[in-house]
Amino acid sequence: MSCPTCLPIIFTKNPTPTPEEKRNLILNNPGFGKVFTDHMLMLHYNKEKNWHNATINAYGPIALDPGVCVFHYGQEIFEGLKAYKTKDGRTLLFRPEANAKRFANSAKRMAMQPLPESLFLQAIYEFIKVEEPWIPDPSVGSLYLRPFMIANSAYLGVKPSTDYLFMIIACPVGSYFSKGADAVTVWISEFYTRAASGGTGEAKCGGNYAASLIAQQQATANNCDQLVFLDAAEHKWIEEMGGMNIFFVFDDGTLLTPPLNGTILPGITRDCIITIAKDKGLAVRQERYSANQWIKDIKSNHIKEVFACGTAAVVTPIGYVKNQQGNYTINKGQVGTITQEMRETLI
Ligand SMILES: *Cc1c(COP(=O)(O)O)cnc(C)c1O
């Protein structure tokens, strides 16, 4: 492959890696996001040297100037993708080119230096080669890769940073929700919103998550696992479930998901589900859908299944809905057939 943007990535093996026995114990029951692998990748940018100084070193704390922009004004973006082992022992990544492209788009929205897509991919490929032993058996889970980039110039002026640090870290993961593939209970967030028109809803930036945590606290206080965000203008139209896109399955067999209008994160899993549904001959409508209509459709049994989707949890059934007014149950809290089919096809 010709790769004009590729760089030499200097690999220094972790001198004290996790002992194999301990690693195997972790890989048998990894949880989600609790254990990091033995290495991390770092790559720097500045105007003079362009992208430079690419390394894979032992995982550990890094030193940063307390003045760097990321700590003050939050210029940060990230990605999430998974590497899987096949039954015959090969390593597969799930659509990494789509992550590379979205990462560049997120960078542009946050006025950060976009990482060339081919360099993002080179970094992912070389990193995964080093951390292959950390990919769990396919019956257990996968290796979750977390590429991210921070503004790394030290000054307190409100302007885009001129220096950036790109990194990749990774965690072996089992299922994202502690309940596995059971249906979750969601709280409809009628006050707090995630993203407004003209804002950063489309960019995968940490700030979107920071702003959403209080709404998640409210959902937890109402005994819900997750929350559903409504639009910021009218507090009426359904947007996403936490950090996942959302799909509704109706009694006529059609699927509906909110359209990508600038406030919704363009999920790669969302895109796959639309494609798979169409392949299976199911109609997919990308249309606005109000929370009020949702409740009505649950009561009248027009809604058969609802699920959320994203890289971390793949497909999560939504079985119970709560808002200020009451509680509603979808499909008796059971996992629906289309939800199940989508999950299995994707995996
Ligand atoms: C990452 C993310 C998703 C899911 O995107 P995938 O590419 O499917 O993992 C959905 N919503 C938000 C807010 C996200 O950050």
Side-chain angles (χ1 to χ4, degrees), residues 78-81 99 102 144 194 201 203-205 208-209 240-245 264-271 309-312 314:
F78 67 95
E79 269 304 327
L81 68 163
N99 298 92
R102 187 170 65 190
Y144 185 82
R194 193 189 80 92
K204 215 168 168 70
C205 61
N208 289 341
Y209 279 78
E240 298 196 49
M241 183 193 90
M244 301 172 80
N245 296 114
I264 290 176
L265 201 287
I268 295 162
T269 321
R270 175 187 183 278
D271 181 60
C309 67
T311 297
V314 190

